[in-house]
Amino acid sequence: RVLFRSQDGTSSIAYTRFEARSFYLYGYSQQWQNSPTSNITLTVQLYEAGGGWWGSSGGLSGTVGVEKIEYQGRDGEWIWPPVDYGYNTTALNASSVTSGSGTISIPVTNAPGNEWKTGYYRAILKGTTANGDTDYGYAWFGVKLFEVYGQPIECGASSCEYKSYFNSKDNVTIYVKVSKPGNSYSYGDAGGTDLGTGNI
């Protein structure tokens, strides 16, 4: 809290915030969307506060482990604060981080029922540097049965093109692409993995 006092004796109070950390710890899933039976692989980054950032040189070395995995709900049912998912983290070993970068494997076999519930997750990470300093960070990942992408289009005699603006009385056509989570495909391609029969 900052108190400002002018020469005429009037005063005002303002607030500012800052963060003090031993180091920054951040992680992300190598595939943002995963299937319910996927093993999750996290890339983790470990950098000294004020002295670097992920992707830059000069990262720290040490170990990073998973303290807890929390569930944040599905699309349309955001849960805050996240709730403990019940993942068995005691079966996980800490992973080594060298020069600021490392990976952590999170097998699905330690999840309740040996599969992930669809939705979004937050992993709480604990890092320990080579000199014994400790601090915490987060990593996020998602789980879905399918990845669905759609965009409005307008079709002519021989092709369809993206269209962003419509008259209020126009019929709107949506191009929809459905794939299994983590599959590599182009939004504009004409083929993909067979998903069976279903409705959109």
Side-chain angles (χ1 to χ4, degrees), residues 51-69:
W53 203 245
W54 34 89
S56 65
S57 61
L60 300 173
S61 296
T63 59
V64 175
V66 178
E67 290 284 286
K68 187 193 325 186
I69 294 180

Side-chain angles (χ1 to χ4, degrees), residues 116-133:
W116 302 104
K117 182 178 179 180
T118 57
Y120 299 98
Y121 294 83
R122 182 175 77 172
I124 300 176
L125 308 175
K126 180 181 179 181
T128 303
T129 61
N131 63 9
D133 291 334

Side-chain angles (χ1 to χ4, degrees), residues 23-36:
F23 49 79
Y24 280 106
L25 174 57
Y26 171 83
Y28 56 91
S29 175
Q30 292 186 352
Q31 290 186 167
W32 168 240
Q33 296 293 356
N34 303 271
S35 75

